[in-house]
Amino acid sequence: MLRVSGIELTKAACLNGVIGSFPTVNAREPAELDDWLTRIAEACARADGPTAPVCPNVLMRTDPEKLDADVQVLIKHKVEMVLASVGSPQKYVGRFHDVGCFVLADVASVRHAEKALEAGVDGLVLLTAGAGGQTGWANGMSFARAVRKFYDGPLVLAGGISDGQALLAARVLGCDLGLMGTRFIATREALADERYKSMLVDSGIDDILLTRGISGIDANFLKPSIVACGLDPEVVSQPISKEKSRELFSAYAGQMRGPKRWVDLWSAGHTVSAVQQVCDVAELVDELSAEYRQAGAEALKLARL
Ligand SMILES: Cc1cc2nc3c(=O)[nH]c(=O)nc-3n(C[C@H](O)[C@H](O)[C@H](O)COP(=O)(O)O)c2cc1C
């Protein structure tokens, strides 16, 4: 997650057995990316128990020079997997495959899914309605079933996975994995501002505003953060062009006139309703796994009826 997932969150995820991901743009320069990957690999090598792989997230529509340099670092580290989002990964799929890297692509429609598969990706992340950040629009249950009609490869559901029960539901729908964002913002290891974490604890699903008015494309934001910036959620709900949004809500310090999106205007998904407290990644993973097991036992009872 942009400005949220850094080395500590990713490392803690991998050490606790869940795939840890971070957008490579969160590392300011390729040397920092190199350093993060080295330190995560070292921590995993020292761990007593099993660890999960790191899955760097490559944003395809970013500065092409930085993107090229980041990809070179990922290839040097022979990362096991990558997640490509916001644009087609076609240009890089071959280079990732040359080092045995498994390529996942974020897709928000059946057409996107077909195009990603044509580009040669190894698995799909279904970005669905209610997801934190730049959200999808398709209902998760229907989208997973629609894609399963023509694709039997690795499938990940993103958006709406609030807890272990929802994670099991994703598996029942035919997905292999679930991708969770918002729940992990409210962890001690996340880079997010402490006030952002507290706001997640205090907010519920009704506090989420779906709007194009901030980033020029559909994204979910916390209404209380919009109000705290002195803006009216009704006004911010009005769609504006990407160019205009960049002018008003630049994501980068030094370029801004108004509040900065992701920095002052905070994003969360519908899963915010499940955030009860700020905790460590290890505690969150334990909670999710206990819920998952309990949901499995309940589901067996239901299946016997
Ligand atoms: C603050 C924030 C930043 C995000 N940044 C990214 C990103 O940089 N790249 C990406 O592929 N997805 C990003 N996402 C989306 C998540 O990867 C994921 O799809 C989403 O959070 C899932 O929904 P959930 O938050 O309800 O669990 C972001 C989400 C949030 C909340």
mmCIF file with all atom_site columns, all heavy atoms in Angstrom, residues 1-2 4 23 57 59 85 106 127 130-133 158-160 179-182 185 196 267-269 271, ligand 1:
data_model
loop_
_atom_site.group_PDB
_atom_site.id
_atom_site.type_symbol
_atom_site.label_atom_id
_atom_site.label_alt_id
_atom_site.label_comp_id
_atom_site.label_asym_id
_atom_site.label_entity_id
_atom_site.label_seq_id
_atom_site.pdbx_PDB_ins_code
_atom_site.Cartn_x
_atom_site.Cartn_y
_atom_site.Cartn_z
_atom_site.occupancy
_atom_site.B_iso_or_equiv
_atom_site.pdbx_formal_charge
_atom_site.auth_seq_id
_atom_site.auth_comp_id
_atom_site.auth_asym_id
_atom_site.auth_atom_id
_atom_site.pdbx_PDB_model_num
ATOM   1   N N   . MET A 1 1   ? 0.835   -1.192  0.000   1.00 0.00 ? 1   MET A N   1
ATOM   2   C CA  . MET A 1 1   ? 0.000   0.000   0.000   1.00 0.00 ? 1   MET A CA  1
ATOM   3   C C   . MET A 1 1   ? 0.870   1.242   0.000   1.00 0.00 ? 1   MET A C   1
ATOM   4   O O   . MET A 1 1   ? 1.794   1.366   0.801   1.00 0.00 ? 1   MET A O   1
ATOM   5   C CB  . MET A 1 1   ? -0.896  -0.023  1.242   1.00 0.00 ? 1   MET A CB  1
ATOM   6   C CG  . MET A 1 1   ? -1.975  -1.099  1.151   1.00 0.00 ? 1   MET A CG  1
ATOM   7   S SD  . MET A 1 1   ? -2.944  -1.229  2.676   1.00 0.00 ? 1   MET A SD  1
ATOM   8   C CE  . MET A 1 1   ? -1.803  -2.119  3.737   1.00 0.00 ? 1   MET A CE  1
ATOM   9   N N   . LEU A 1 2   ? 0.512   2.139   -0.916  1.00 0.00 ? 2   LEU A N   1
ATOM   10  C CA  . LEU A 1 2   ? 1.247   3.386   -1.080  1.00 0.00 ? 2   LEU A CA  1
ATOM   11  C C   . LEU A 1 2   ? 1.393   4.113   0.250   1.00 0.00 ? 2   LEU A C   1
ATOM   12  O O   . LEU A 1 2   ? 0.400   4.333   0.958   1.00 0.00 ? 2   LEU A O   1
ATOM   13  C CB  . LEU A 1 2   ? 0.448   4.253   -2.059  1.00 0.00 ? 2   LEU A CB  1
ATOM   14  C CG  . LEU A 1 2   ? 1.218   5.261   -2.896  1.00 0.00 ? 2   LEU A CG  1
ATOM   15  C CD1 . LEU A 1 2   ? 2.272   4.577   -3.746  1.00 0.00 ? 2   LEU A CD1 1
ATOM   16  C CD2 . LEU A 1 2   ? 0.255   6.064   -3.768  1.00 0.00 ? 2   LEU A CD2 1
ATOM   17  N N   . VAL A 1 4   ? 2.186   3.227   3.049   1.00 0.00 ? 4   VAL A N   1
ATOM   18  C CA  . VAL A 1 4   ? 1.799   2.475   4.247   1.00 0.00 ? 4   VAL A CA  1
ATOM   19  C C   . VAL A 1 4   ? 2.700   1.251   4.452   1.00 0.00 ? 4   VAL A C   1
ATOM   20  O O   . VAL A 1 4   ? 3.119   0.948   5.561   1.00 0.00 ? 4   VAL A O   1
ATOM   21  C CB  . VAL A 1 4   ? 0.317   2.019   4.157   1.00 0.00 ? 4   VAL A CB  1
ATOM   22  C CG1 . VAL A 1 4   ? -0.025  1.042   5.262   1.00 0.00 ? 4   VAL A CG1 1
ATOM   23  C CG2 . VAL A 1 4   ? -0.632  3.215   4.179   1.00 0.00 ? 4   VAL A CG2 1
ATOM   24  N N   . PRO A 1 23  ? 4.457   -1.534  -2.583  1.00 0.00 ? 23  PRO A N   1
ATOM   25  C CA  . PRO A 1 23  ? 4.744   -0.960  -3.898  1.00 0.00 ? 23  PRO A CA  1
ATOM   26  C C   . PRO A 1 23  ? 6.209   -0.509  -3.942  1.00 0.00 ? 23  PRO A C   1
ATOM   27  O O   . PRO A 1 23  ? 6.669   0.136   -2.990  1.00 0.00 ? 23  PRO A O   1
ATOM   28  C CB  . PRO A 1 23  ? 3.790   0.230   -4.007  1.00 0.00 ? 23  PRO A CB  1
ATOM   29  C CG  . PRO A 1 23  ? 3.247   0.475   -2.660  1.00 0.00 ? 23  PRO A CG  1
ATOM   30  C CD  . PRO A 1 23  ? 3.534   -0.701  -1.782  1.00 0.00 ? 23  PRO A CD  1
ATOM   31  N N   . ASN A 1 57  ? 5.189   -5.024  -5.310  1.00 0.00 ? 57  ASN A N   1
ATOM   32  C CA  . ASN A 1 57  ? 4.095   -4.544  -6.153  1.00 0.00 ? 57  ASN A CA  1
ATOM   33  C C   . ASN A 1 57  ? 4.659   -3.488  -7.109  1.00 0.00 ? 57  ASN A C   1
ATOM   34  O O   . ASN A 1 57  ? 5.210   -2.486  -6.666  1.00 0.00 ? 57  ASN A O   1
ATOM   35  C CB  . ASN A 1 57  ? 3.003   -3.975  -5.232  1.00 0.00 ? 57  ASN A CB  1
ATOM   36  C CG  . ASN A 1 57  ? 1.928   -3.189  -5.947  1.00 0.00 ? 57  ASN A CG  1
ATOM   37  O OD1 . ASN A 1 57  ? 1.495   -2.149  -5.463  1.00 0.00 ? 57  ASN A OD1 1
ATOM   38  N ND2 . ASN A 1 57  ? 1.481   -3.650  -7.088  1.00 0.00 ? 57  ASN A ND2 1
ATOM   39  N N   . LEU A 1 59  ? 3.965   -0.760  -9.800  1.00 0.00 ? 59  LEU A N   1
ATOM   40  C CA  . LEU A 1 59  ? 2.924   0.094   -10.387 1.00 0.00 ? 59  LEU A CA  1
ATOM   41  C C   . LEU A 1 59  ? 3.372   0.433   -11.804 1.00 0.00 ? 59  LEU A C   1
ATOM   42  O O   . LEU A 1 59  ? 4.384   1.110   -12.005 1.00 0.00 ? 59  LEU A O   1
ATOM   43  C CB  . LEU A 1 59  ? 2.746   1.363   -9.553  1.00 0.00 ? 59  LEU A CB  1
ATOM   44  C CG  . LEU A 1 59  ? 2.344   1.148   -8.082  1.00 0.00 ? 59  LEU A CG  1
ATOM   45  C CD1 . LEU A 1 59  ? 2.252   2.464   -7.339  1.00 0.00 ? 59  LEU A CD1 1
ATOM   46  C CD2 . LEU A 1 59  ? 1.036   0.394   -7.976  1.00 0.00 ? 59  LEU A CD2 1
ATOM   47  N N   . SER A 1 85  ? 0.346   -3.808  -10.938 1.00 0.00 ? 85  SER A N   1
ATOM   48  C CA  . SER A 1 85  ? -0.966  -3.159  -10.918 1.00 0.00 ? 85  SER A CA  1
ATOM   49  C C   . SER A 1 85  ? -0.928  -1.833  -11.656 1.00 0.00 ? 85  SER A C   1
ATOM   50  O O   . SER A 1 85  ? 0.144   -1.346  -12.013 1.00 0.00 ? 85  SER A O   1
ATOM   51  C CB  . SER A 1 85  ? -1.486  -2.986  -9.480  1.00 0.00 ? 85  SER A CB  1
ATOM   52  O OG  . SER A 1 85  ? -0.551  -2.376  -8.666  1.00 0.00 ? 85  SER A OG  1
ATOM   53  N N   . ASP A 1 106 ? -3.127  -7.343  -11.180 1.00 0.00 ? 106 ASP A N   1
ATOM   54  C CA  . ASP A 1 106 ? -4.364  -6.801  -10.626 1.00 0.00 ? 106 ASP A CA  1
ATOM   55  C C   . ASP A 1 106 ? -5.343  -6.544  -11.773 1.00 0.00 ? 106 ASP A C   1
ATOM   56  O O   . ASP A 1 106 ? -4.982  -5.848  -12.724 1.00 0.00 ? 106 ASP A O   1
ATOM   57  C CB  . ASP A 1 106 ? -3.980  -5.410  -10.064 1.00 0.00 ? 106 ASP A CB  1
ATOM   58  C CG  . ASP A 1 106 ? -4.429  -5.210  -8.662  1.00 0.00 ? 106 ASP A CG  1
ATOM   59  O OD1 . ASP A 1 106 ? -4.629  -6.193  -7.959  1.00 0.00 ? 106 ASP A OD1 1
ATOM   60  O OD2 . ASP A 1 106 ? -4.559  -4.033  -8.270  1.00 0.00 ? 106 ASP A OD2 1
ATOM   61  N N   . LEU A 1 127 ? -9.538  -7.294  -8.220  1.00 0.00 ? 127 LEU A N   1
ATOM   62  C CA  . LEU A 1 127 ? -9.756  -6.083  -7.427  1.00 0.00 ? 127 LEU A CA  1
ATOM   63  C C   . LEU A 1 127 ? -11.247 -5.770  -7.474  1.00 0.00 ? 127 LEU A C   1
ATOM   64  O O   . LEU A 1 127 ? -11.796 -5.515  -8.542  1.00 0.00 ? 127 LEU A O   1
ATOM   65  C CB  . LEU A 1 127 ? -8.931  -4.943  -8.034  1.00 0.00 ? 127 LEU A CB  1
ATOM   66  C CG  . LEU A 1 127 ? -8.982  -3.611  -7.306  1.00 0.00 ? 127 LEU A CG  1
ATOM   67  C CD1 . LEU A 1 127 ? -8.414  -3.737  -5.897  1.00 0.00 ? 127 LEU A CD1 1
ATOM   68  C CD2 . LEU A 1 127 ? -8.200  -2.557  -8.082  1.00 0.00 ? 127 LEU A CD2 1
ATOM   69  N N   . GLY A 1 130 ? -15.389 -1.936  -3.062  1.00 0.00 ? 130 GLY A N   1
ATOM   70  C CA  . GLY A 1 130 ? -15.204 -1.768  -1.616  1.00 0.00 ? 130 GLY A CA  1
ATOM   71  C C   . GLY A 1 130 ? -13.764 -1.895  -1.164  1.00 0.00 ? 130 GLY A C   1
ATOM   72  O O   . GLY A 1 130 ? -13.475 -1.745  0.019   1.00 0.00 ? 130 GLY A O   1
ATOM   73  N N   . ALA A 1 131 ? -12.862 -2.178  -2.103  1.00 0.00 ? 131 ALA A N   1
ATOM   74  C CA  . ALA A 1 131 ? -11.445 -2.319  -1.723  1.00 0.00 ? 131 ALA A CA  1
ATOM   75  C C   . ALA A 1 131 ? -10.869 -0.966  -1.316  1.00 0.00 ? 131 ALA A C   1
ATOM   76  O O   . ALA A 1 131 ? -11.306 0.083   -1.804  1.00 0.00 ? 131 ALA A O   1
ATOM   77  C CB  . ALA A 1 131 ? -10.639 -2.883  -2.895  1.00 0.00 ? 131 ALA A CB  1
ATOM   78  N N   . GLY A 1 132 ? -9.877  -1.006  -0.442  1.00 0.00 ? 132 GLY A N   1
ATOM   79  C CA  . GLY A 1 132 ? -9.177  0.222   -0.094  1.00 0.00 ? 132 GLY A CA  1
ATOM   80  C C   . GLY A 1 132 ? -8.334  0.701   -1.267  1.00 0.00 ? 132 GLY A C   1
ATOM   81  O O   . GLY A 1 132 ? -8.039  -0.060  -2.185  1.00 0.00 ? 132 GLY A O   1
ATOM   82  N N   . GLY A 1 133 ? -7.989  1.983   -1.261  1.00 0.00 ? 133 GLY A N   1
ATOM   83  C CA  . GLY A 1 133 ? -7.169  2.541   -2.343  1.00 0.00 ? 133 GLY A CA  1
ATOM   84  C C   . GLY A 1 133 ? -7.988  2.705   -3.610  1.00 0.00 ? 133 GLY A C   1
ATOM   85  O O   . GLY A 1 133 ? -9.196  2.973   -3.571  1.00 0.00 ? 133 GLY A O   1
ATOM   86  N N   . ALA A 1 158 ? -9.217  -9.591  -3.871  1.00 0.00 ? 158 ALA A N   1
ATOM   87  C CA  . ALA A 1 158 ? -8.827  -8.372  -3.133  1.00 0.00 ? 158 ALA A CA  1
ATOM   88  C C   . ALA A 1 158 ? -10.055 -7.489  -2.964  1.00 0.00 ? 158 ALA A C   1
ATOM   89  O O   . ALA A 1 158 ? -10.787 -7.226  -3.919  1.00 0.00 ? 158 ALA A O   1
ATOM   90  C CB  . ALA A 1 158 ? -7.753  -7.610  -3.903  1.00 0.00 ? 158 ALA A CB  1
ATOM   91  N N   . GLY A 1 159 ? -10.245 -7.024  -1.716  1.00 0.00 ? 159 GLY A N   1
ATOM   92  C CA  . GLY A 1 159 ? -11.388 -6.148  -1.444  1.00 0.00 ? 159 GLY A CA  1
ATOM   93  C C   . GLY A 1 159 ? -12.455 -6.894  -0.671  1.00 0.00 ? 159 GLY A C   1
ATOM   94  O O   . GLY A 1 159 ? -12.853 -7.992  -1.073  1.00 0.00 ? 159 GLY A O   1
ATOM   95  N N   . GLY A 1 160 ? -12.835 -6.320  0.471   1.00 0.00 ? 160 GLY A N   1
ATOM   96  C CA  . GLY A 1 160 ? -13.953 -6.894  1.226   1.00 0.00 ? 160 GLY A CA  1
ATOM   97  C C   . GLY A 1 160 ? -13.572 -8.030  2.159   1.00 0.00 ? 160 GLY A C   1
ATOM   98  O O   . GLY A 1 160 ? -14.446 -8.580  2.830   1.00 0.00 ? 160 GLY A O   1
ATOM   99  N N   . LEU A 1 179 ? -6.310  -11.129 -0.595  1.00 0.00 ? 179 LEU A N   1
ATOM   100 C CA  . LEU A 1 179 ? -5.384  -10.006 -0.413  1.00 0.00 ? 179 LEU A CA  1
ATOM   101 C C   . LEU A 1 179 ? -6.057  -8.990  0.507   1.00 0.00 ? 179 LEU A C   1
ATOM   102 O O   . LEU A 1 179 ? -7.152  -8.523  0.219   1.00 0.00 ? 179 LEU A O   1
ATOM   103 C CB  . LEU A 1 179 ? -5.053  -9.387  -1.777  1.00 0.00 ? 179 LEU A CB  1
ATOM   104 C CG  . LEU A 1 179 ? -3.918  -8.364  -1.822  1.00 0.00 ? 179 LEU A CG  1
ATOM   105 C CD1 . LEU A 1 179 ? -3.327  -8.307  -3.232  1.00 0.00 ? 179 LEU A CD1 1
ATOM   106 C CD2 . LEU A 1 179 ? -4.386  -6.985  -1.437  1.00 0.00 ? 179 LEU A CD2 1
ATOM   107 N N   . MET A 1 180 ? -5.412  -8.695  1.626   1.00 0.00 ? 180 MET A N   1
ATOM   108 C CA  . MET A 1 180 ? -5.991  -7.769  2.594   1.00 0.00 ? 180 MET A CA  1
ATOM   109 C C   . MET A 1 180 ? -5.119  -6.532  2.729   1.00 0.00 ? 180 MET A C   1
ATOM   110 O O   . MET A 1 180 ? -3.900  -6.652  2.818   1.00 0.00 ? 180 MET A O   1
ATOM   111 C CB  . MET A 1 180 ? -6.120  -8.448  3.962   1.00 0.00 ? 180 MET A CB  1
ATOM   112 C CG  . MET A 1 180 ? -7.019  -9.666  3.916   1.00 0.00 ? 180 MET A CG  1
ATOM   113 S SD  . MET A 1 180 ? -7.049  -10.582 5.479   1.00 0.00 ? 180 MET A SD  1
ATOM   114 C CE  . MET A 1 180 ? -8.014  -9.479  6.503   1.00 0.00 ? 180 MET A CE  1
ATOM   115 N N   . GLY A 1 181 ? -5.750  -5.387  2.732   1.00 0.00 ? 181 GLY A N   1
ATOM   116 C CA  . GLY A 1 181 ? -5.003  -4.145  2.865   1.00 0.00 ? 181 GLY A CA  1
ATOM   117 C C   . GLY A 1 181 ? -5.322  -3.413  4.146   1.00 0.00 ? 181 GLY A C   1
ATOM   118 O O   . GLY A 1 181 ? -4.534  -3.358  5.082   1.00 0.00 ? 181 GLY A O   1
ATOM   119 N N   . THR A 1 182 ? -6.540  -2.869  4.217   1.00 0.00 ? 182 THR A N   1
ATOM   120 C CA  . THR A 1 182 ? -6.946  -1.988  5.319   1.00 0.00 ? 182 THR A CA  1
ATOM   121 C C   . THR A 1 182 ? -6.616  -2.552  6.706   1.00 0.00 ? 182 THR A C   1
ATOM   122 O O   . THR A 1 182 ? -6.103  -1.836  7.561   1.00 0.00 ? 182 THR A O   1
ATOM   123 C CB  . THR A 1 182 ? -8.466  -1.712  5.206   1.00 0.00 ? 182 THR A CB  1
ATOM   124 O OG1 . THR A 1 182 ? -8.709  -1.073  3.944   1.00 0.00 ? 182 THR A OG1 1
ATOM   125 C CG2 . THR A 1 182 ? -8.973  -0.831  6.324   1.00 0.00 ? 182 THR A CG2 1
ATOM   126 N N   . ILE A 1 185 ? -3.194  -1.781  7.773   1.00 0.00 ? 185 ILE A N   1
ATOM   127 C CA  . ILE A 1 185 ? -2.782  -0.391  8.041   1.00 0.00 ? 185 ILE A CA  1
ATOM   128 C C   . ILE A 1 185 ? -2.788  -0.163  9.551   1.00 0.00 ? 185 ILE A C   1
ATOM   129 O O   . ILE A 1 185 ? -1.942  0.553   10.084  1.00 0.00 ? 185 ILE A O   1
ATOM   130 C CB  . ILE A 1 185 ? -3.719  0.642   7.360   1.00 0.00 ? 185 ILE A CB  1
ATOM   131 C CG1 . ILE A 1 185 ? -3.884  0.349   5.876   1.00 0.00 ? 185 ILE A CG1 1
ATOM   132 C CG2 . ILE A 1 185 ? -3.184  2.067   7.567   1.00 0.00 ? 185 ILE A CG2 1
ATOM   133 C CD1 . ILE A 1 185 ? -4.905  1.249   5.175   1.00 0.00 ? 185 ILE A CD1 1
ATOM   134 N N   . TYR A 1 196 ? -4.077  8.262   11.645  1.00 0.00 ? 196 TYR A N   1
ATOM   135 C CA  . TYR A 1 196 ? -4.737  7.461   10.589  1.00 0.00 ? 196 TYR A CA  1
ATOM   136 C C   . TYR A 1 196 ? -5.159  6.113   11.190  1.00 0.00 ? 196 TYR A C   1
ATOM   137 O O   . TYR A 1 196 ? -6.311  5.669   11.032  1.00 0.00 ? 196 TYR A O   1
ATOM   138 C CB  . TYR A 1 196 ? -3.708  7.286   9.467   1.00 0.00 ? 196 TYR A CB  1
ATOM   139 C CG  . TYR A 1 196 ? -4.099  6.592   8.187   1.00 0.00 ? 196 TYR A CG  1
ATOM   140 C CD1 . TYR A 1 196 ? -5.362  6.090   7.924   1.00 0.00 ? 196 TYR A CD1 1
ATOM   141 C CD2 . TYR A 1 196 ? -3.136  6.442   7.182   1.00 0.00 ? 196 TYR A CD2 1
ATOM   142 C CE1 . TYR A 1 196 ? -5.660  5.454   6.723   1.00 0.00 ? 196 TYR A CE1 1
ATOM   143 C CE2 . TYR A 1 196 ? -3.413  5.824   5.974   1.00 0.00 ? 196 TYR A CE2 1
ATOM   144 C CZ  . TYR A 1 196 ? -4.672  5.321   5.752   1.00 0.00 ? 196 TYR A CZ  1
ATOM   145 O OH  . TYR A 1 196 ? -4.955  4.698   4.564   1.00 0.00 ? 196 TYR A OH  1
ATOM   146 N N   . SER A 1 267 ? -7.043  6.702   2.931   1.00 0.00 ? 267 SER A N   1
ATOM   147 C CA  . SER A 1 267 ? -7.872  5.712   2.252   1.00 0.00 ? 267 SER A CA  1
ATOM   148 C C   . SER A 1 267 ? -8.094  4.473   3.114   1.00 0.00 ? 267 SER A C   1
ATOM   149 O O   . SER A 1 267 ? -7.225  4.089   3.897   1.00 0.00 ? 267 SER A O   1
ATOM   150 C CB  . SER A 1 267 ? -7.184  5.304   0.947   1.00 0.00 ? 267 SER A CB  1
ATOM   151 O OG  . SER A 1 267 ? -7.892  4.234   0.352   1.00 0.00 ? 267 SER A OG  1
ATOM   152 N N   . ALA A 1 268 ? -9.258  3.875   2.945   1.00 0.00 ? 268 ALA A N   1
ATOM   153 C CA  . ALA A 1 268 ? -9.554  2.579   3.579   1.00 0.00 ? 268 ALA A CA  1
ATOM   154 C C   . ALA A 1 268 ? -10.683 1.933   2.787   1.00 0.00 ? 268 ALA A C   1
ATOM   155 O O   . ALA A 1 268 ? -11.416 2.603   2.058   1.00 0.00 ? 268 ALA A O   1
ATOM   156 C CB  . ALA A 1 268 ? -9.986  2.770   5.029   1.00 0.00 ? 268 ALA A CB  1
ATOM   157 N N   . GLY A 1 269 ? -10.796 0.632   2.950   1.00 0.00 ? 269 GLY A N   1
ATOM   158 C CA  . GLY A 1 269 ? -11.874 -0.099  2.269   1.00 0.00 ? 269 GLY A CA  1
ATOM   159 C C   . GLY A 1 269 ? -13.031 -0.369  3.223   1.00 0.00 ? 269 GLY A C   1
ATOM   160 O O   . GLY A 1 269 ? -13.000 0.005   4.397   1.00 0.00 ? 269 GLY A O   1
ATOM   161 N N   . THR A 1 271 ? -13.680 -2.909  4.622   1.00 0.00 ? 271 THR A N   1
ATOM   162 C CA  . THR A 1 271 ? -13.210 -3.779  5.707   1.00 0.00 ? 271 THR A CA  1
ATOM   163 C C   . THR A 1 271 ? -12.852 -2.981  6.957   1.00 0.00 ? 271 THR A C   1
ATOM   164 O O   . THR A 1 271 ? -12.529 -3.576  7.987   1.00 0.00 ? 271 THR A O   1
ATOM   165 C CB  . THR A 1 271 ? -11.984 -4.572  5.239   1.00 0.00 ? 271 THR A CB  1
ATOM   166 O OG1 . THR A 1 271 ? -11.007 -3.644  4.762   1.00 0.00 ? 271 THR A OG1 1
ATOM   167 C CG2 . THR A 1 271 ? -12.323 -5.538  4.135   1.00 0.00 ? 271 THR A CG2 1
HETATM 168 C C1  . LIG B 2 .   ? -3.873  3.256   1.631   1.00 0.00 ? 1   LIG B C1  1
HETATM 169 C C2  . LIG B 2 .   ? -3.908  2.235   0.550   1.00 0.00 ? 1   LIG B C2  1
HETATM 170 C C3  . LIG B 2 .   ? -2.928  2.244   -0.408  1.00 0.00 ? 1   LIG B C3  1
HETATM 171 C C4  . LIG B 2 .   ? -2.936  1.287   -1.435  1.00 0.00 ? 1   LIG B C4  1
HETATM 172 N N1  . LIG B 2 .   ? -1.927  1.288   -2.335  1.00 0.00 ? 1   LIG B N1  1
HETATM 173 C C5  . LIG B 2 .   ? -1.877  0.323   -3.275  1.00 0.00 ? 1   LIG B C5  1
HETATM 174 C C6  . LIG B 2 .   ? -0.769  0.254   -4.162  1.00 0.00 ? 1   LIG B C6  1
HETATM 175 O O1  . LIG B 2 .   ? 0.166   1.041   -4.083  1.00 0.00 ? 1   LIG B O1  1
HETATM 176 N N2  . LIG B 2 .   ? -0.775  -0.727  -5.102  1.00 0.00 ? 1   LIG B N2  1
HETATM 177 C C7  . LIG B 2 .   ? -1.792  -1.633  -5.201  1.00 0.00 ? 1   LIG B C7  1
HETATM 178 O O2  . LIG B 2 .   ? -1.747  -2.509  -6.064  1.00 0.00 ? 1   LIG B O2  1
HETATM 179 N N3  . LIG B 2 .   ? -2.860  -1.587  -4.378  1.00 0.00 ? 1   LIG B N3  1
HETATM 180 C C8  . LIG B 2 .   ? -2.899  -0.651  -3.410  1.00 0.00 ? 1   LIG B C8  1
HETATM 181 N N4  . LIG B 2 .   ? -3.954  -0.618  -2.534  1.00 0.00 ? 1   LIG B N4  1
HETATM 182 C C9  . LIG B 2 .   ? -5.017  -1.633  -2.655  1.00 0.00 ? 1   LIG B C9  1
HETATM 183 C C10 . LIG B 2 .   ? -4.671  -2.888  -1.842  1.00 0.00 ? 1   LIG B C10 1
HETATM 184 O O3  . LIG B 2 .   ? -3.577  -3.516  -2.441  1.00 0.00 ? 1   LIG B O3  1
HETATM 185 C C11 . LIG B 2 .   ? -5.840  -3.878  -1.785  1.00 0.00 ? 1   LIG B C11 1
HETATM 186 O O4  . LIG B 2 .   ? -6.283  -4.203  -3.058  1.00 0.00 ? 1   LIG B O4  1
HETATM 187 C C12 . LIG B 2 .   ? -6.989  -3.368  -0.970  1.00 0.00 ? 1   LIG B C12 1
HETATM 188 O O5  . LIG B 2 .   ? -6.524  -2.694  0.166   1.00 0.00 ? 1   LIG B O5  1
HETATM 189 C C13 . LIG B 2 .   ? -7.902  -4.508  -0.571  1.00 0.00 ? 1   LIG B C13 1
HETATM 190 O O6  . LIG B 2 .   ? -9.039  -4.044  0.096   1.00 0.00 ? 1   LIG B O6  1
HETATM 191 P P1  . LIG B 2 .   ? -9.119  -3.900  1.701   1.00 0.00 ? 1   LIG B P1  1
HETATM 192 O O7  . LIG B 2 .   ? -8.339  -2.680  2.009   1.00 0.00 ? 1   LIG B O7  1
HETATM 193 O O8  . LIG B 2 .   ? -10.552 -3.722  2.009   1.00 0.00 ? 1   LIG B O8  1
HETATM 194 O O9  . LIG B 2 .   ? -8.526  -5.109  2.312   1.00 0.00 ? 1   LIG B O9  1
HETATM 195 C C14 . LIG B 2 .   ? -3.974  0.323   -1.501  1.00 0.00 ? 1   LIG B C14 1
HETATM 196 C C15 . LIG B 2 .   ? -4.956  0.317   -0.500  1.00 0.00 ? 1   LIG B C15 1
HETATM 197 C C16 . LIG B 2 .   ? -4.932  1.247   0.518   1.00 0.00 ? 1   LIG B C16 1
HETATM 198 C C17 . LIG B 2 .   ? -5.988  1.200   1.570   1.00 0.00 ? 1   LIG B C17 1
#
